[in-house]
Amino acid sequence: MPTIVSVDDSTVPGEGSSRLLLLVSSDNKHIVVEEDIMSRSRFISKQVEGFEATSQRHAILLPFSSFVLNKVIEYCSHYRGYYLLEDDPDAAPPGRSPVREWDQEFLDVDRNMLLRIIKAAHYLEIKSLVGSCARAIADMIRGKTTEEMREILGVENDFTPEEEHSPSSKCTG
Amino acid sequence: MSLSTEVAVAVDEVRSQIDDDLRHLENSVLSLKARRNALAPIARLPPEALAMVFAFIAEDCSWYATQAERLAWMKVAHVSHHWREIALSHARLWTRIEFSSFLSASVMLTRARAAPITIDVQLLADPYVRPCMSIRLTCPVNEEALILGLQHMWHVSQLRLSVPRLFLFDNLFDKFPSSAPSLQALSLSTEAWDPTYPPEIAALPNDLFAKGIPNLQHLSLTNFDFSWNSPWLKGLRSLRLVNLSIPARPSMTTFLDALESMDRIEELFFHQSTPISNLPDAELQVSESDRVVTLQHLRAFDLSTLGVDCAYVTRHLSLPQVRSVRIDCYSVRPDGSDFLPILPSFRRLAHGTHDASPLQSMTAVSADSFLYVSTWLEPDPSESQPPRAVLAASGSLWRPGTDYKLTMAAFASLPLTDVRSVSVQNMAPAHLDLWLVEGARWRKLERLRLIGESAQDFTQASLVNGAQVSDSEVVDPQTGLPDTSALLFPELQSLTLVSASLWHGCETEELVDALRERNDLGVVLPELAIIHSAVSRLTVNRLSSFVLDITWQGRRPEELIGDELAEFGMPLWPTMFPMPAFADEPVFGDFESDEDGNDSLTEEESDPYGDDEDEEDSDDSEAGIGIGIGIGGTGAFSDEDYLFHGY
């Protein structure tokens, strides 16, 4: 669970009308961000709901590095004020998530970074980002053979020969 | 026991021991691999996220994919134990049931558990092959599997059946249960086995889902007659009806009653399914005595039928929140007068006070038997951006010039004073009014694209207009030049000519003169693009004297890539259009590519009309007058690039 601490007003410079949040990454970097930007994160929103509307800033400790956190903040900043159906808790889940061009460029990162971002997005409950990352990973392995998928994502074949070749183990018989 | 027997027993024991050791080692290896997998970065993903990855792979399959392609996503379950566990434990992954075999359907239905499932069966007919054969080959569906799926109707959320008429009444509807408590989207479609035949319209059984579809939100029926008193209507968010038989077309009262009952409706799509008018034209206009139904939540409205019937329907509708309107009229009168009554209603629906901005861009195409006008709220819509309003009309009996007359009427009916980008294609020639009258309203126009014959009229009108402005006695006191307030498109920043008919010397001269005149009046055209138009290099050189930036691309339309014309979306070029007569040989001889891939003309072929009377012009270009020579792409247009799917 993240630790939430209230930070005295004087510790963090404030700007703008939106409340400020202090996000602390696992490598102990302090990142100040406007609450509006992070409102896309249901996790953050739920934390903030508990705060009173005071002039105090609120710090949230997060279990991922500042590098990953900055990427997530970049995503949230880009879509600040945008309505994304996937992030609407009241909307029905979209049947087919849209492909957003900006997201594709944003997620043009190496495989490990992509996995870190999706994990962070999942932790922060940013469904649109989880969806975009999942699509990017799916794009990596779509159309590949099972062996190629293993190779791309560093997974070993841990089936016994019997499990692998038994008709009952096949998904569709 | 003999010695040899003892040795044999000992060997067997050792071999057995070795087998045990091997099994032990294999298990150890598998155990280590599993542990290694647990440490792989992908394994640290939460199962829900990994399941979402699988879902993206699964949903990527189009409905016409082969069976192997549809099932390919399941390979993820063969990667590792962990992946298989996730795949099998997420019921949602198995909800798009595969009906190509009974086993696949039954396994997927089991794994889907109680999750909402989708039954999507589209049997295709191919007119070029025996229908029975083609249907089975194109999209094999195991009948028993389908019946098994229908038995799971209690958790079917989407049901789409598209079946050729030939197979429809093979007791298929008898297999439907009487209720569908989870069904949210129902789509039923039947076509003649040969798509080139007129549609055969069937009737839905009266007792279909007799016990109700309480959660139905989306209903689509193609070639099915339908009762307008159906309890299915209430609660619908979208309704799509295509082709009702004449007896099944509702009266206006029934139609409006039905619409009023749909208080949540957001999308309506009616093609040949609305009330038929027997009123004279004069009575088709909105009158105060009309009953008007207001659909508060309607966002998208699509209507296609006879022109008078379009007018008859729309005059009874108020759509205060509509975001997308498409009206497609059929005209059966030679003068096209049965199209005109729709214009007041279209004007009302095409733009409203709820729209965030005025209409800022437009594409217009016309030919002998049709016209097509689409508008956007945005100034430079992308190719994929849906128009705010589309008005189309077609009339096989139209007299020559009718399309132009009706297009002018359509323009006049629309609020185009804020339009900033316009693309006009193949307007019939010699109609200067388009530019002198209607064009004069487009004072804010910044980008204009002319395709085909439209360029001729534009240059002539620009000449006439330029001369009028030049001759004006009113002078701007600041510049001392004639007052240019009456000049066509004073804000024009970019002019693009595509496949312009400028291959006659006089037409080329008109273009040069029109732009020179504009330049003389102090209104410089910043950008000119000439694409696939038979214009010589010399002409381009001359134009460069009074246009800041010229792009000249010499390739044919089928060699264009989309991005080149993306500012207005893809050009409309239905194959039925009279294409400019591109011969196999380029008009001005072979294009050659230089080292950079740029197209150029060989010197001796650059001026077939002898308009290079001034050799110095040509020399000037060599001396460095800035001309951007573009490079055509290698992509080809496909039918899908056209906006005329419906024709």
Side-chain angles (χ1 to χ4, degrees):
Chain A
M1 285 294 293
T3 304
I4 302 169
V5 295
S6 290
V7 183
D8 186 77
D9 206 17
S10 61
T11 59
V12 181
E15 61 179 54
S17 57
S18 175
R19 283 196 300 182
L20 296 180
L21 296 173
L22 179 61
L23 305 181
V24 183
S25 61
S26 61
D27 51 351
N28 203 31
K29 295 279 169 41
H30 292 207
I31 299 171
V32 179
V33 61
E34 286 185 57
E35 185 188 321
D36 276 0
I37 292 175
M38 296 309 292
S39 62
R40 192 168 297 283
S41 160
R42 292 204 67 199
F43 172 81
I44 299 280
S45 296
K46 280 187 277 188
Q47 303 302 325
V48 171
E49 272 174 22
F51 300 157
E52 288 181 6
T54 68
S55 61
Q56 283 190 317
R57 274 73 177 179
H58 305 283
I60 301 175
L61 304 189
L62 297 169
F64 35 85
S65 70
S66 57
F67 192 59
V68 174
L69 180 55
N70 276 321
K71 283 292 279 185
V72 176
I73 292 172
E74 182 187 348
Y75 176 87
C76 293
S77 300
H78 179 78
Y79 287 113
R80 183 182 193 175
Y82 277 74
Y83 174 81
L84 299 179
L85 183 64
E86 307 98 292
D87 292 327
D88 185 347
D90 300 324
R96 192 180 177 90
S97 300
V99 181
R100 285 184 286 269
E101 201 172 317
W102 186 87
D103 290 12
Q104 288 180 318
E105 282 183 29
F106 172 73
L107 294 173
D108 187 14
V109 293
D110 68 57
R111 186 192 63 196
N112 285 337
M113 186 64 187
L114 183 60
L115 293 171
R116 288 190 186 107
I117 294 172
I118 188 174
K119 206 174 158 196
H122 183 266
Y123 185 89
L124 291 169
E125 297 180 62
I126 306 174
K127 286 188 179 177
S128 58
L129 182 53
V130 173
S132 291
C133 291
R135 183 188 288 278
I137 297 170
D139 289 343
M140 281 183 191
I141 57 177
R142 180 178 292 114
K144 300 288 192 291
T145 64
T146 307
E147 194 50 52
E148 287 168 336
M149 288 186 201
R150 289 181 188 128
E151 199 170 320
I152 290 168
L153 291 171
V155 179
E156 297 286 342
N157 178 6
D158 56 2
F159 289 119
T160 64
E162 291 79 14
E163 285 173 326
E164 201 163 19
H165 300 299
S166 162
S168 61
S169 74
K170 298 286 184 185
C171 290
T172 55
Chain B
M1 186 182 293
S2 67
L3 182 62
S4 60
T5 306
E6 286 178 6
V7 169
V9 169
V11 166
D12 284 347
E13 282 178 1
V14 171
R15 286 170 62 92
S16 175
Q17 182 63 45
I18 290 172
D19 286 344
D20 287 346
D21 289 347
L22 280 174
R23 272 192 294 275
H24 182 69
L25 285 173
E26 281 167 2
N27 287 338
S28 296
V29 167
L30 290 175
S31 174
L32 286 170
K33 283 182 174 180
R35 285 175 58 194
R36 191 178 190 282
N37 282 346
L39 297 172
I42 189 78
R44 279 180 250 141
L45 281 192
E48 305 80 40
L50 194 51
M52 191 180 283
V53 173
F54 298 166
F56 273 116
I57 299 173
E59 79 173 19
D60 190 55
C61 228
S62 56
W63 65 266
Y64 49 80
T66 63
Q67 181 193 19
E69 288 167 338
R70 288 195 302 273
L71 299 180
W73 73 270
M74 294 179 192
K75 282 184 288 191
V76 300
H78 302 161
V79 169
S80 69
H81 273 121
H82 179 57
W83 283 35
R84 176 172 293 179
E85 282 165 18
I86 289 174
L88 297 183
S89 63
H90 279 78
R92 192 174 151 232
L93 291 170
W94 303 92
T95 54
R96 196 175 183 89
I97 310 300
E98 172 64 36
F99 291 105
S100 53
S101 77
F102 185 81
L103 182 60
S104 64
S106 59
V107 167
M108 293 182 81
L109 284 165
T110 303
R111 290 177 181 171
R113 298 192 281 276
I117 60 173
T118 297
I119 294 180
D120 186 349
V121 173
Q122 300 197 53
L123 300 177
L124 304 179
D126 183 343
Y128 303 107
V129 189
R130 276 181 55 215
C132 294
M133 289 295 292
S134 68
I135 285 165
R136 295 305 173 194
L137 289 174
T138 309
C139 184
V141 169
N142 180 287
E143 194 173 338
E144 288 181 0
L146 181 55
I147 291 168
L148 181 67
L150 294 175
Q151 288 169 1
H152 282 253
M153 190 61 78
W154 60 272
H155 64 126
V156 173
S157 67
Q158 297 184 61
L159 171 61
R160 180 162 68 157
L161 282 176
S162 180
V163 187
R165 180 70 191 277
L166 202 62
F167 289 84
L168 184 63
F169 297 108
D170 191 16
N171 298 324
L172 184 61
F173 285 132
D174 293 346
K175 309 295 191 301
F176 279 53
S178 58
S179 69
S182 302
L183 192 61
Q184 294 184 3
L186 172 62
S187 173
L188 298 173
S189 167
T190 180
E191 304 282 350
W193 65 268
D194 182 342
T196 59
Y197 283 15
E200 298 177 64
I201 298 171
L204 279 184
N206 289 329
D207 58 349
L208 187 65
F209 298 123
K211 290 185 180 173
I213 319 177
N215 291 305
L216 189 67
Q217 295 183 22
H218 309 281
L219 175 63
S220 171
L221 298 174
T222 299
N223 298 328
F224 277 105
D225 278 349
F226 169 73
S227 167
W228 288 84
N229 300 316
S230 169
W232 297 358
L233 291 176
K234 184 156 181 64
L236 286 184
R237 290 171 59 197
S238 72
L239 173 62
R240 178 188 177 100
L241 297 177
V242 178
N243 285 341
L244 296 186
S245 67
I246 298 295
R249 304 276 283 266
S251 68
M252 184 55 76
T253 302
T254 304
F255 178 69
L256 295 178
D257 287 346
L259 292 184
E260 262 183 342
S261 74
M262 292 185 274
D263 51 8
R264 295 171 59 197
I265 196 75
E266 294 172 10
E267 294 178 20
L268 286 175
F269 185 102
F270 293 135
H271 282 201
Q272 286 74 51
S273 55
T274 45
I276 295 171
S277 161
N278 294 312
L279 299 174
D281 290 2
E283 294 180 28
L284 287 170
Q285 303 304 324
V286 179
S287 74
E288 289 184 359
S289 60
D290 277 339
R291 175 186 172 190
V292 174
V293 171
T294 300
L295 301 173
Q296 288 289 354
H297 304 292
L298 199 80
R299 297 301 181 101
F301 182 61
D302 192 317
L303 176 66
S304 175
T305 187
L306 281 173
V308 289
D309 293 340
C310 286
Y312 184 46
V313 168
T314 51
R315 76 172 192 172
H316 291 278
L317 298 181
S318 169
L319 312 177
Q321 295 299 325
V322 74
R323 296 285 190 270
S324 166
V325 169
R326 180 188 170 108
I327 295 180
D328 193 343
C329 306
Y330 297 97
S331 168
V332 293
R333 297 182 194 161
D335 64 354
S337 60
D338 49 350
F339 164 77
L340 299 175
I342 186 61
L343 293 178
S345 293
F346 182 69
R347 160 69 184 85
R348 187 166 47 85
L349 299 175
H351 191 264
T353 53
H354 61 286
D355 285 310
S357 59
L359 296 179
Q360 296 195 70
S361 59
M362 177 181 72
T363 292
V365 187
S366 79
D368 292 342
S369 61
F370 76 88
L371 67 90
Y372 186 98
V373 177
S374 48
T375 58
W376 289 260
L377 297 176
E378 301 77 14
D380 297 297
S382 67
E383 189 184 332
S384 58
Q385 206 157 357
R388 169 65 179 81
V390 173
L391 180 62
S394 58
S396 57
L397 302 176
W398 283 354
R399 287 195 285 264
T402 300
D403 62 300
Y404 168 75
K405 184 185 74 175
L406 300 182
T407 305
M408 289 285 285
F411 286 168
S413 74
L414 286 168
L416 297 173
T417 50
D418 289 293
V419 75
R420 290 170 61 189
S421 56
V422 166
S423 176
V424 175
Q425 178 176 342
N426 275 35
M427 290 293 176
H431 291 293
L432 303 186
D433 289 352
L434 168 67
W435 303 108
L436 293 177
V437 179
E438 281 307 316
R441 285 203 300 148
W442 309 341
R443 304 295 297 168
K444 297 180 182 174
L445 189 74
E446 295 174 357
R447 283 168 293 284
L448 176 63
R449 186 173 68 163
L450 304 169
I451 305 172
E453 296 171 339
S454 310
Q456 285 175 272
D457 298 335
F458 171 76
T459 52
Q460 288 171 14
S462 295
L463 264 180
V464 172
N465 170 258
Q468 287 171 347
V469 172
S470 297
D471 294 345
S472 169
E473 293 180 357
V474 182
V475 175
D476 185 329
Q478 290 186 340
T479 64
L481 293 170
D483 180 15
T484 56
S485 60
L487 191 68
L488 275 178
F489 315 133
E491 305 294 327
L492 191 65
Q493 300 294 309
S494 168
L495 173 64
T496 302
L497 306 178
V498 183
S499 298
S501 312
L502 297 171
W503 43 68
H504 298 302
C506 59
E507 289 157 1
T508 306
E509 288 304 312
E510 281 174 349
L511 174 66
V512 173
D513 290 345
L515 296 181
R516 179 187 289 135
E517 204 162 38
R518 195 177 176 87
N519 185 65
D520 292 346
L521 289 167
V523 183
V524 179
L525 178 65
E527 290 178 18
L528 172 65
I530 303 174
I531 299 171
H532 312 306
S533 303
V535 177
S536 69
R537 170 185 283 190
L538 184 65
T539 302
V540 174
N541 290 345
R542 293 167 63 197
L543 287 167
S544 67
S545 302
F546 35 84
V547 177
L548 296 181
D549 183 16
I550 297 183
T551 301
W552 179 35
Q553 297 174 323
R555 299 216 177 186
R556 300 178 183 184
E558 62 271 24
E559 294 173 332
L560 268 176
I561 56 174
D563 287 348
E564 292 170 346
L565 300 171
E567 66 173 323
F568 295 113
M570 297 295 284
L572 308 172
W573 207 283
T575 51
M576 67 188 77
F577 279 17
M579 292 277 285
F582 286 110
D584 287 335
E585 292 297 317
V587 177
F588 296 114
D590 291 324
F591 287 97
E592 295 179 347
S593 294
D594 61 21
E595 286 178 0
D596 297 321
N598 290 341
D599 293 336
S600 62
L601 295 171
T602 52
E603 281 291 321
E604 65 274 18
E605 292 164 334
S606 63
D607 187 24
Y609 297 127
D611 63 348
D612 58 346
E613 68 283 358
D614 187 354
E615 286 293 326
E616 287 177 16
D617 280 348
S618 182
D619 292 336
D620 283 345
S621 82
E622 310 278 312
I625 291 178
I627 305 172
I629 308 291
I631 311 168
T634 55
F637 279 120
S638 70
D639 289 345
E640 292 177 1
D641 293 328
Y642 305 137
L643 297 178
F644 280 79
H645 297 298
Y647 286 87

